[in-house]
Amino acid sequence: PKATLQDIMKWNGWGYSDSRFLFNKKGQGEFTGKRYRLSGMILPSLKDWFEATFGTSLQHKTPATPTLNVSAVPPPNLVEPFVEELKVAGVAASHDPEGRVFRSHGHCLHEIFALREGRIGRVPDLVVWPNCHNDVVKIVELACKYNVCLMPYGGGTSVSSALECPLEETRSVVSLDTSQMNRILWIDEKNLTVHVEAGIIGQDLERQLNESGYCTGHEPDSMEFSSLGGWVATRASGMKKNIYGNIEDLVVHIKMVTPRGVIEKSCQGPRMSTGPDIHHFIMGSEGTLGVVTEVTMKIRPLPEYQKYGSIVFPNFQQGVSCLREVARQRCAPASIRLMDNEQFQFGHALKPQVSSIFTSFLDGLKKFYITKFKGFEPHHLCVATLLFEGDREKVLQHEKQVYDIAAKFGGLAAGEDNGQRGYMLTFVIAYLRDLGMDYYVIGESFETSVPWDRVLDLCRNVKERIVRECKERGVQFPPFSTCRVTQTYDAGACVYFYFAFNYRGLADPLHVYERVEHEAREEILANGGSLSHHHGVGKLRKEWMREAVSTVGLGMLQSVKEYVDPNNIFGNRNLL
């Protein structure tokens, strides 16, 4: 096949091979490459923050295995007639070890940790690359004929163990890589819709639409690598959902190939009352029922104006009250996110070296003004970052409305730069986990959605539970345990947690990590939070599915699976 993500991405870490955090010979933080605003910059405060937060020393390194040891990859279990018939049908396929390992995992901590140590578990036996919908139909027919297990693969950004091959699977496992199905098939300017093959990657979809003056506005944090089919399969959410909607709001039509045949609606109508919406069986099905091949989604003209902003609050409670009021008045900007104090300090540690004395003087002045003059406590204050977009006039009115609400909760406007930096960090933050793993630090992010009246309790209780569990399990240094509110809704919010700790001295760090994460999820559920807002269930969270959707609900989902895929051809064992 033509170039794939495998050619430019790390095999045992996040993102592009040329982009990573490191500490240079002088002990200064650096971010390599040329792709991001932070690329090539020196980060003078990172080392102090890192050592103080995790109790680590740059003397103690835990480097990753540099290259994949091909002999550690188990030989493929191939069904020869299946491979032969694929060849006859003109479908590209390969069983080279690098490609099989690359598609055997997502980005959960345990998956990446194992790869860094050179441990290779069960991997797909074959990778196939369909070029279009009809190729997928052919592949699925052959898989049924020869009883091979198919696992759809989009961008590989899953954080739910969804891409792990089930250990109990004895059949030949085939990774169906959608990356070659990446064309925009048509743009309908009268109805403002676009019809796209489901293998397209987020940033490519937006870039191509932008060239015609449009956008979908769907921007998940993974959009550099995640695919449209993956968004549909996991019920994804984007940063700007307040304007454009989540994936379920954006989708107009879906085509999916299942072992029973193709499923799709008869027309492109904007809304229907035709029984339960079959799209809602497809969205969130996580590769267990079939492969999404083509999607029609809504597009919008590119906004004429975009403006970032930020607000400093005296404490997290005031910040949450402000977000609640913004949601109540239904005047949320394209994006509004609230970081707790730990994340604010973390963001500060990632400030690049200031080129001029003057700017650093101004920075100092602003800090002095907020902490001394306005009585903000540096260890309590927290920051919201904002993004407004639309017509210039409306944006400026909207901005005033939001800042007026913020003022009622002690919020001070803190400038566009801080807002823009906040959103820029979104894409580089994922690279930090690999830096941590170079120095005995492991961590993860996880999310939930929760009613408004439970937000504060849930945030506090989950963070405290993480600290307590780490202590009880022998973690020597208090963990980094932090949260942010990333989305607002009429009836609640999405809350994101980051946690990380120094595992030096632990006999089985992964086991400790997994127990802590498990207890954190129990705490979320006990506090009225959901099993997931947008990451999905995969295999990581499926033990809680019955609790999440009720016994009858689970039975309904199982009966759909049994009808659509009676022989479990789509055998990734997610969800159920």
Side-chain angles (χ1 to χ4, degrees), residues 431-450:
Y431 288 92
L432 272 163
R433 184 169 70 178
D434 295 328
L435 177 72
M437 283 192 280
D438 287 337
Y439 298 95
Y440 284 97
V441 173
I442 51 179
E444 187 74 281
S445 64
F446 51 91
E447 44 74 14
T448 186
S449 50
V450 61

Side-chain angles (χ1 to χ4, degrees), residues 277 353 380 421:
D277 189 341
Q353 202 157 26
H380 291 279
R421 268 192 60 251

Side-chain angles (χ1 to χ4, degrees), residues 498-531:
Y498 288 109
F499 94 96
F501 61 85
N502 178 348
Y503 67 81
R504 252 193 116 200
L506 294 180
D508 189 350
L510 268 192
H511 178 72
V512 171
Y513 162 76
E514 277 165 1
R515 292 322 304 159
V516 175
E517 186 185 31
H518 187 274
E519 296 306 309
R521 181 61 59 182
E522 290 280 354
E523 189 67 33
I524 285 173
L525 298 173
N527 282 274
S530 67
L531 192 50

Side-chain angles (χ1 to χ4, degrees), residues 241-261:
K241 71 94 193 154
N242 293 334
I243 294 185
Y244 301 97
N246 286 318
I247 196 68
E248 68 273 19
D249 309 304
L250 283 160
V251 160
V252 178
H253 190 265
I254 307 174
K255 198 187 277 194
M256 179 163 86
V257 181
T258 78
R260 279 267 181 207

Side-chain angles (χ1 to χ4, degrees), residues 82-100:
F82 173 76
V83 179
E84 275 309 304
E85 287 208 43
L86 279 177
K87 202 176 275 177
V88 172
V91 175
S94 161
H95 54 81
D96 86 85
E98 286 90 353
R100 290 165 54 218

Side-chain angles (χ1 to χ4, degrees), residues 228-419:
L228 170 55
W231 301 339
V232 169
T234 56
R235 289 183 62 90
S237 172
M239 176 179 92
K240 301 195 290 198
K241 71 94 193 154
N242 293 334
I243 294 185
Y244 301 97
N246 286 318
I247 196 68
E248 68 273 19
D249 309 304
L250 283 160
V251 160
V252 178
H253 190 265
I254 307 174
K255 198 187 277 194
M256 179 163 86
V257 181
T258 78
R260 279 267 181 207
V262 175
I263 177 170
E264 64 178 320
K265 294 182 184 179
S266 67
C267 76
Q268 304 257 346
R271 181 187 189 271
M272 302 171 204
S273 176
T274 47
D277 189 341
I278 58 157
H279 283 173
H280 286 282
F281 286 115
I282 298 171
M283 289 187 286
S285 59
E286 299 194 13
T288 60
L289 301 177
V291 188
V292 176
T293 56
E294 291 175 18
V295 179
T296 307
M297 61 197 301
K298 303 175 197 175
I299 56 174
R300 298 292 304 162
L302 276 173
E304 66 162 318
Y305 193 62
Q306 252 199 348
K307 192 171 184 187
Y308 291 95
S310 62
I311 304 168
V312 184
F313 294 97
N315 57 47
F316 192 65
Q317 289 83 333
Q318 296 280 78
V320 170
S321 300
C322 174
L323 263 63
R324 172 67 193 111
E325 184 57 24
V326 164
R328 202 178 68 80
Q329 293 192 26
R330 288 191 165 169
C331 65
S335 172
I336 178 165
R337 291 174 170 173
L338 178 74
M339 293 177 280
D340 68 5
N341 184 263
E342 289 83 4
Q343 281 198 27
F344 164 70
Q345 297 194 29
F346 169 41
H348 217 74
L350 288 170
K351 271 208 143 142
Q353 202 157 26
V354 185
S355 40
S356 79
I357 307 285
F358 182 63
T359 2
S360 65
F361 171 70
L362 280 182
D363 263 358
L365 209 61
K366 194 182 274 178
K367 200 166 166 186
F368 175 81
Y369 171 73
I370 286 174
T371 55
K372 299 288 185 298
F373 191 64
K374 286 287 183 179
F376 281 48
E377 278 290 318
H379 290 283
H380 291 279
L381 66 83
C382 69
V383 177
T385 56
L386 314 169
L387 170 62
F388 298 89
E389 60 176 58
D391 304 336
R392 191 162 189 278
E393 278 301 292
K394 287 208 184 104
V395 162
L396 299 176
Q397 283 170 347
H398 194 175
E399 184 182 43
K400 182 180 179 329
Q401 189 182 6
V402 172
Y403 285 114
D404 286 350
I405 294 172
K408 293 186 186 135
F409 299 96
L412 271 186
E416 290 183 58
D417 289 355
N418 286 318

